[in-house]
Amino acid sequence: MPTGREETDLRLLRAVLVLVGLSMLYCGAAGARSVDGHVERRGHKHRHTAGHLSLHRHRERAGKEGQVLHRSKRGWVWNQFFVIEEYTGPDPVLVGRLHSDVDSGKGRCKYILSGEGAGTIFVIDDKTGNIHATKTLDREEQAQYTLTAQAVDRDTNKPLEPPSEFIVKVQDINDNPPEFLHRPYFARVPEMSNVGTSVMQVTATDADDPTYGNSARLVYSILQGQPYFSVESQTGIIRTALPSMDREARQEYDVVIQAKDMGGHMGGLSGTTEVKITLTDVNDNPPKFPQSVYTMSVSEDKVSGEEVGRLKAKDPDQGENGLVSYRLTEGDGLGVFELTTDSQTREAVIKLKKMVDYETKRTYTLRIEGSNPHVDPRFTAWGPYRDEATVKIMVEDADEPPVFVAPSYNFEVEENAPAGTQVGRVHAKDTDVANNPVRYMIPRYTDVEQFFSVNSEDGMITTTRPLDREAQAWHNISVAAAEIGGHHQDTKVRVNIRVKDVNDNAPEFASNNEILMCEAITPGKVIETVSAVDKDEMAHRQHFTFSLAPEIAHNHNFSLKDNRDSTASVHVLRKGFSRLTQDVYFLPVEISDNGLPSLSSTQTLTVRVCSCDSRDTILSCNVEPYVLPAGLSTGALIAILACIVILLAIVVLFVALRRQKKEPLILFEEEDIRENIITYDDEGGGEEDTEAFDIATLQNPDGANSFLPRKDMKPELQGALRPGPGSTGGHSVDVDDFIKSRIAEADSDPTAPPYDSIQIYGYEGQDSVAGSLSSLESVTTESDLDYDYLQSWGPRFKRLADLYGTKDYPMNDTDDGEDS
């Protein structure tokens, strides 16, 4: 349980975290209000401008209210710009323009850009602050770039303002087709499945932005595989579309699935994948014998267990569904013959259960039934799943071959015995009346490497070379016996020969693992217990002894103790091991067995010195430099925490003061003419006013010959649609005539308010450093302004200079017209 002091520290920590969160929220809001940016995207003809409240003007308003803030504030902070991906125009695309309040226009301010892609992808004009993208961007490679802008003095390179970070986001286009990542697909579905059975689900991915438009909205369709299968358009789940699809008629289907983006509409990109669907088997077919009657024959010289014949019932099903089990149902040969099933071929094998005699009985009859052991209850009505056949067996007269006196033979021979060593004798005799002599031979396929030979007259088996028990402990061969002068019939017998072990292999370590030892190990401690193995046959009486090699028997590091139980313990003799001095020790150990004769070998133990903690847990066994721990003192941490608390208190106080301020609704400060004045002679409402005007109307004045409803107010009555007084039906695009016609139309509009400034721009937007460019505001300045300097601003301001310069247009004297 925490103490009272710990609870106090926890409460303090929670309070600090809350203050940090509040300060971050406020900084985000302040940054959003102090943005001064200009993004121009030429590909789509969109312009975004952000207002800016200068530090000087902010202090001036605060002074008017009697509240002076002493906290310095930088004049510009950036949010983010946008640039469309895959732009392929001839010129670098303009991303945006940076401008600082401290830039007086005399060329002393230099803009510097750093961050991701600065200098390679994004370049900045250090005089104007224009940022261009010099390379084609791919949103799928990188969706945004974080850059840092800073204004410095061109002569001294000293910062004029703190650096500010902003983001350039790459706007997505539909340039990536859907892709199936795991193609080709393989699926299995049972035959005879119902319509709508789910086969599998395929999934395509689209690298485009799923949150932007329909570029990543995929629709699935089937291009190949009808009418057998269908696919759900939204999920990509493939289902069966036909019933009773029979695997025995057709097993595999190649289905092609298409995924198309843009919701499947025209113009979308698509990708395809192949799905190989295999029908799996069900037990829907009963077994059937090809014949109803089979005829077989067996010679009287056949012995018990020998095969008489085979038959098989066919079942087109697969696996366990096609398995057929056989049994003898009736016949006069039930006690003479037996029935088994070949596990490989699944055939019914008829074998002799007893020997037959031609002179006693010459014909036997059997009745065999074949049935499916696994019946599917869904298809029991298609049965019965069994069939029967009759087998007639004829007995043939034969000259019987010799018979061995034993069914098999087992012999032993020592390994490494010289060639010609006798292994054992086999014996066979002729059961016929003639009792002909017998000759013996070893079929080469039973003794491929010819380790043994047999005397053809007496059946004595001998070795042809020394045998190695460790290579092969058992030899299983056959010996054949045939009558001399007979019909070349022979009889074979199995001979199993065991190779007896002798001590011809030296012992060795049971495992070759390294021994890991701590540096600070205490002397006398056992670091490992070793054991040995021997390739020779291990017996209970076998015993191993261990000793250090003579050359290290008197070393001062380790000792070896024989535990007299075929194991040995490795002891440490000293302390003070250091892995920096020596990290590996090699310990030769002699191991001997107790065989006759005794054999020994020298094996090497590897001891590795490791770094361990206080509980002897190994940390590292590699030589590496020591690193001294570093940290802050308690006093430094307390000082840092106090600074953070003071800073957060100031931030909270600043937020409280800001909430008490009342900002004026209309500003009449001195106008700040910027280069972002647009040539279509209309005043924008700021980025917060998106409902005020239709720029398409100003770009095509001839199209504005009808009444347009007001967007900034709800009219109480709807006037009749009427053409403007200045409309002539021609194709003139004179802005002056268009403005005059709109003035007359506004004067005669009963729904319009009595003041022009709210007619179109219901909300000007706050924090704009540019002010208003309207001629109406000149009335409030109580002075005649000289606009002749507009002539020197270049061709972009030529139209504005003509309107406000030396020429006297009637629109300048009109108080009730619209803003130009």
Side-chain angles (χ1 to χ4, degrees), residues 160-175:
L160 300 178
E161 294 190 15
S164 182
E165 185 178 273
F166 64 96
I167 296 174
V168 177
K169 288 190 174 182
V170 182
Q171 200 168 44
D172 184 53
I173 64 173
N174 188 20
D175 59 341

Side-chain angles (χ1 to χ4, degrees), residues 411-634:
F411 301 123
E412 291 183 348
V413 63
E414 288 189 353
E415 68 173 325
N416 301 325
T421 301
Q422 293 183 352
V423 178
R425 186 190 302 273
V426 296
H427 179 65
K429 62 181 180 178
D430 184 10
T431 58
D432 294 332
V433 178
N435 194 15
N436 294 323
V438 177
R439 70 173 183 269
Y440 303 91
M441 63 172 294
I442 297 177
R444 286 302 104 189
Y445 65 87
T446 66
D447 184 20
V448 178
E449 299 185 26
Q450 301 182 11
F451 288 109
F452 306 95
S453 65
V454 62
N455 189 297
S456 62
E457 296 180 357
D458 59 6
M460 177 59 71
I461 301 174
T462 57
T463 60
T464 61
R465 71 186 77 169
L467 304 179
D468 186 3
R469 188 202 68 85
E470 287 71 37
Q472 188 173 351
W474 283 87
H475 295 267
N476 301 316
I477 65 173
S478 296
V479 177
E483 297 180 16
I484 298 176
H487 295 82
H488 303 289
Q489 296 181 0
D490 60 2
T491 301
K492 299 181 180 64
V493 69
R494 172 72 65 179
V495 179
N496 303 315
I497 302 173
R498 175 177 172 269
V499 182
K500 298 171 63 176
D501 183 51
V502 296
N503 190 26
D504 59 345
N505 289 279
E508 58 187 18
F509 281 132
S511 63
N512 293 323
N513 296 333
E514 289 185 343
I515 301 176
L516 304 182
M517 180 186 69
C518 296
E519 290 179 309
I521 192 169
T522 58
K525 186 174 182 181
V526 177
I527 61 174
E528 185 71 11
T529 300
V530 296
S531 60
V533 294
D534 196 324
K535 292 182 181 179
D536 293 323
E537 189 173 10
M538 300 287 290
H540 295 291
R541 64 182 184 275
Q542 191 169 21
H543 181 73
F544 300 109
T545 58
F546 301 84
S547 63
L548 290 177
E551 61 269 19
I552 66 162
H554 302 288
N555 75 92
H556 302 289
N557 297 320
F558 305 98
S559 65
L560 186 70
K561 177 183 178 182
D562 192 334
N563 298 325
R564 303 188 181 280
D565 59 354
S566 296
T567 64
S569 301
V570 181
H571 295 258
V572 178
L573 296 179
R574 67 177 180 88
K575 62 180 181 179
F577 289 93
S578 173
R579 60 194 178 105
L580 298 179
T581 304
Q582 182 175 352
D583 62 335
V584 177
Y585 294 86
F586 298 102
L587 201 62
V589 178
E590 287 188 357
I591 310 174
S592 303
D593 60 19
N594 62 340
L596 295 175
S598 177
L599 297 179
S600 64
S601 66
T602 300
Q603 305 288 317
T604 301
L605 283 176
T606 302
V607 181
R608 186 174 296 275
V609 182
C610 303
S611 174
C612 303
D613 57 13
S614 59
R615 292 176 295 181
D616 291 339
T617 301
I618 295 177
L619 302 178
S620 174
C621 293
N622 298 324
V623 178
E624 54 190 14
Y626 288 97
V627 180
L628 296 178
L632 295 176
S633 63
T634 304

Side-chain angles (χ1 to χ4, degrees), residues 34 68 178 401 486 501 603 694 708:
S34 60
V68 179
D501 183 51
Q603 305 288 317
D694 186 4
L708 297 176

